[in-house]
PDB file of all heavy atoms in Angstrom:
ATOM      1  N   VAL A  57      12.508 -26.504 -13.294  1.00 96.00           N
ATOM      2  CA  VAL A  57      11.981 -25.777 -14.456  1.00 96.00           C
ATOM      3  C   VAL A  57      12.653 -26.306 -15.722  1.00 96.00           C
ATOM      4  O   VAL A  57      11.992 -26.565 -16.734  1.00 96.00           O
ATOM      5  CB  VAL A  57      12.206 -24.255 -14.312  1.00 96.00           C
ATOM      6  CG1 VAL A  57      11.891 -23.529 -15.616  1.00 96.00           C
ATOM      7  CG2 VAL A  57      11.367 -23.708 -13.172  1.00 96.00           C
ATOM      8  N   ALA A  58      13.972 -26.496 -15.665  1.00 96.00           N
ATOM      9  CA  ALA A  58      14.703 -27.015 -16.829  1.00 96.00           C
ATOM     10  C   ALA A  58      14.186 -28.394 -17.214  1.00 96.00           C
ATOM     11  O   ALA A  58      13.955 -28.667 -18.397  1.00 96.00           O
ATOM     12  CB  ALA A  58      16.204 -27.083 -16.519  1.00 96.00           C
ATOM     13  N   LYS A  59      13.998 -29.258 -16.246  1.00 95.00           N
ATOM     14  CA  LYS A  59      13.516 -30.618 -16.537  1.00 95.00           C
ATOM     15  C   LYS A  59      12.095 -30.595 -17.095  1.00 95.00           C
ATOM     16  O   LYS A  59      11.754 -31.376 -17.982  1.00 95.00           O
ATOM     17  CB  LYS A  59      13.575 -31.478 -15.277  1.00 95.00           C
ATOM     18  CG  LYS A  59      14.980 -31.860 -14.890  1.00 95.00           C
ATOM     19  CD  LYS A  59      14.962 -32.762 -13.674  1.00 95.00           C
ATOM     20  CE  LYS A  59      16.342 -33.291 -13.375  1.00 95.00           C
ATOM     21  NZ  LYS A  59      16.318 -34.307 -12.323  1.00 95.00           N
ATOM     22  N   ASN A  60      11.266 -29.713 -16.575  1.00 96.00           N
ATOM     23  CA  ASN A  60       9.880 -29.637 -17.052  1.00 96.00           C
ATOM     24  C   ASN A  60       9.780 -29.038 -18.446  1.00 96.00           C
ATOM     25  O   ASN A  60       8.808 -29.272 -19.156  1.00 96.00           O
ATOM     26  CB  ASN A  60       9.019 -28.826 -16.081  1.00 96.00           C
ATOM     27  CG  ASN A  60       8.738 -29.580 -14.806  1.00 96.00           C
ATOM     28  OD1 ASN A  60       8.695 -30.811 -14.795  1.00 96.00           O
ATOM     29  ND2 ASN A  60       8.561 -28.853 -13.716  1.00 96.00           N
ATOM     30  N   ASN A  61      10.765 -28.260 -18.855  1.00 95.00           N
ATOM     31  CA  ASN A  61      10.748 -27.618 -20.174  1.00 95.00           C
ATOM     32  C   ASN A  61      11.421 -28.445 -21.259  1.00 95.00           C
ATOM     33  O   ASN A  61      11.498 -28.006 -22.396  1.00 95.00           O
ATOM     34  CB  ASN A  61      11.397 -26.238 -20.097  1.00 95.00           C
ATOM     35  CG  ASN A  61      10.526 -25.239 -19.380  1.00 95.00           C
ATOM     36  OD1 ASN A  61       9.311 -25.388 -19.324  1.00 95.00           O
ATOM     37  ND2 ASN A  61      11.133 -24.216 -18.818  1.00 95.00           N
ATOM     38  N   GLY A  62      11.919 -29.615 -20.925  1.00 93.00           N
ATOM     39  CA  GLY A  62      12.537 -30.476 -21.928  1.00 93.00           C
ATOM     40  C   GLY A  62      13.911 -30.939 -21.491  1.00 93.00           C
ATOM     41  O   GLY A  62      14.312 -30.767 -20.349  1.00 93.00           O
ATOM     42  N   ARG A  63      14.625 -31.510 -22.427  1.00 90.00           N
ATOM     43  CA  ARG A  63      15.961 -32.027 -22.145  1.00 90.00           C
ATOM     44  C   ARG A  63      17.037 -31.029 -22.537  1.00 90.00           C
ATOM     45  O   ARG A  63      16.833 -30.179 -23.390  1.00 90.00           O
ATOM     46  CB  ARG A  63      16.201 -33.322 -22.932  1.00 90.00           C
ATOM     47  CG  ARG A  63      15.304 -34.441 -22.506  1.00 90.00           C
ATOM     48  CD  ARG A  63      15.568 -35.662 -23.353  1.00 90.00           C
ATOM     49  NE  ARG A  63      14.611 -36.685 -22.956  1.00 90.00           N
ATOM     50  CZ  ARG A  63      14.954 -37.921 -22.691  1.00 90.00           C
ATOM     51  NH1 ARG A  63      16.188 -38.312 -22.815  1.00 90.00           N
ATOM     52  NH2 ARG A  63      14.040 -38.784 -22.332  1.00 90.00           N
ATOM     53  N   ASN A  64      18.176 -31.203 -21.879  1.00 94.00           N
ATOM     54  CA  ASN A  64      19.375 -30.440 -22.250  1.00 94.00           C
ATOM     55  C   ASN A  64      19.149 -28.933 -22.160  1.00 94.00           C
ATOM     56  O   ASN A  64      19.470 -28.176 -23.065  1.00 94.00           O
ATOM     57  CB  ASN A  64      19.826 -30.834 -23.656  1.00 94.00           C
ATOM     58  CG  ASN A  64      21.332 -30.816 -23.781  1.00 94.00           C
ATOM     59  OD1 ASN A  64      22.032 -31.196 -22.848  1.00 94.00           O
ATOM     60  ND2 ASN A  64      21.828 -30.376 -24.912  1.00 94.00           N
ATOM     61  N   ARG A  65      18.591 -28.497 -21.036  1.00 96.00           N
ATOM     62  CA  ARG A  65      18.250 -27.086 -20.862  1.00 96.00           C
ATOM     63  C   ARG A  65      19.065 -26.454 -19.751  1.00 96.00           C
ATOM     64  O   ARG A  65      19.503 -27.120 -18.832  1.00 96.00           O
ATOM     65  CB  ARG A  65      16.768 -26.942 -20.544  1.00 96.00           C
ATOM     66  CG  ARG A  65      15.918 -27.475 -21.680  1.00 96.00           C
ATOM     67  CD  ARG A  65      14.535 -26.953 -21.700  1.00 96.00           C
ATOM     68  NE  ARG A  65      14.375 -25.576 -21.323  1.00 96.00           N
ATOM     69  CZ  ARG A  65      14.221 -24.568 -22.161  1.00 96.00           C
ATOM     70  NH1 ARG A  65      14.249 -24.780 -23.444  1.00 96.00           N
ATOM     71  NH2 ARG A  65      14.012 -23.353 -21.719  1.00 96.00           N
ATOM     72  N   ILE A  66      19.200 -25.148 -19.836  1.00 96.00           N
ATOM     73  CA  ILE A  66      19.838 -24.349 -18.796  1.00 96.00           C
ATOM     74  C   ILE A  66      18.805 -23.312 -18.364  1.00 96.00           C
ATOM     75  O   ILE A  66      18.284 -22.569 -19.191  1.00 96.00           O
ATOM     76  CB  ILE A  66      21.089 -23.646 -19.333  1.00 96.00           C
ATOM     77  CG1 ILE A  66      22.106 -24.669 -19.815  1.00 96.00           C
ATOM     78  CG2 ILE A  66      21.691 -22.727 -18.260  1.00 96.00           C
ATOM     79  CD1 ILE A  66      23.217 -24.095 -20.659  1.00 96.00           C
ATOM     80  N   GLU A  67      18.495 -23.314 -17.079  1.00 96.00           N
ATOM     81  CA  GLU A  67      17.518 -22.349 -16.553  1.00 96.00           C
ATOM     82  C   GLU A  67      18.120 -21.635 -15.353  1.00 96.00           C
ATOM     83  O   GLU A  67      18.801 -22.235 -14.529  1.00 96.00           O
ATOM     84  CB  GLU A  67      16.226 -23.074 -16.120  1.00 96.00           C
ATOM     85  CG  GLU A  67      15.460 -23.722 -17.245  1.00 96.00           C
ATOM     86  CD  GLU A  67      14.774 -22.744 -18.165  1.00 96.00           C
ATOM     87  OE1 GLU A  67      14.615 -21.566 -17.798  1.00 96.00           O
ATOM     88  OE2 GLU A  67      14.387 -23.164 -19.266  1.00 96.00           O
ATOM     89  N   PHE A  68      17.815 -20.360 -15.260  1.00 96.00           N
ATOM     90  CA  PHE A  68      18.225 -19.539 -14.132  1.00 96.00           C
ATOM     91  C   PHE A  68      17.039 -19.313 -13.227  1.00 96.00           C
ATOM     92  O   PHE A  68      15.916 -19.129 -13.706  1.00 96.00           O
ATOM     93  CB  PHE A  68      18.767 -18.183 -14.612  1.00 96.00           C
ATOM     94  CG  PHE A  68      20.133 -18.278 -15.207  1.00 96.00           C
ATOM     95  CD1 PHE A  68      20.292 -18.638 -16.531  1.00 96.00           C
ATOM     96  CD2 PHE A  68      21.260 -18.019 -14.448  1.00 96.00           C
ATOM     97  CE1 PHE A  68      21.553 -18.727 -17.089  1.00 96.00           C
ATOM     98  CE2 PHE A  68      22.523 -18.108 -14.991  1.00 96.00           C
ATOM     99  CZ  PHE A  68      22.681 -18.470 -16.321  1.00 96.00           C
TER     100      PHE A  68
END
Side-chain angles (χ1 to χ4, degrees):
V57 170
K59 287 183 173 188
N60 287 331
N61 287 336
R63 295 178 184 228
N64 215 38
R65 299 201 37 100
I66 299 166
E67 295 289 344
F68 285 84

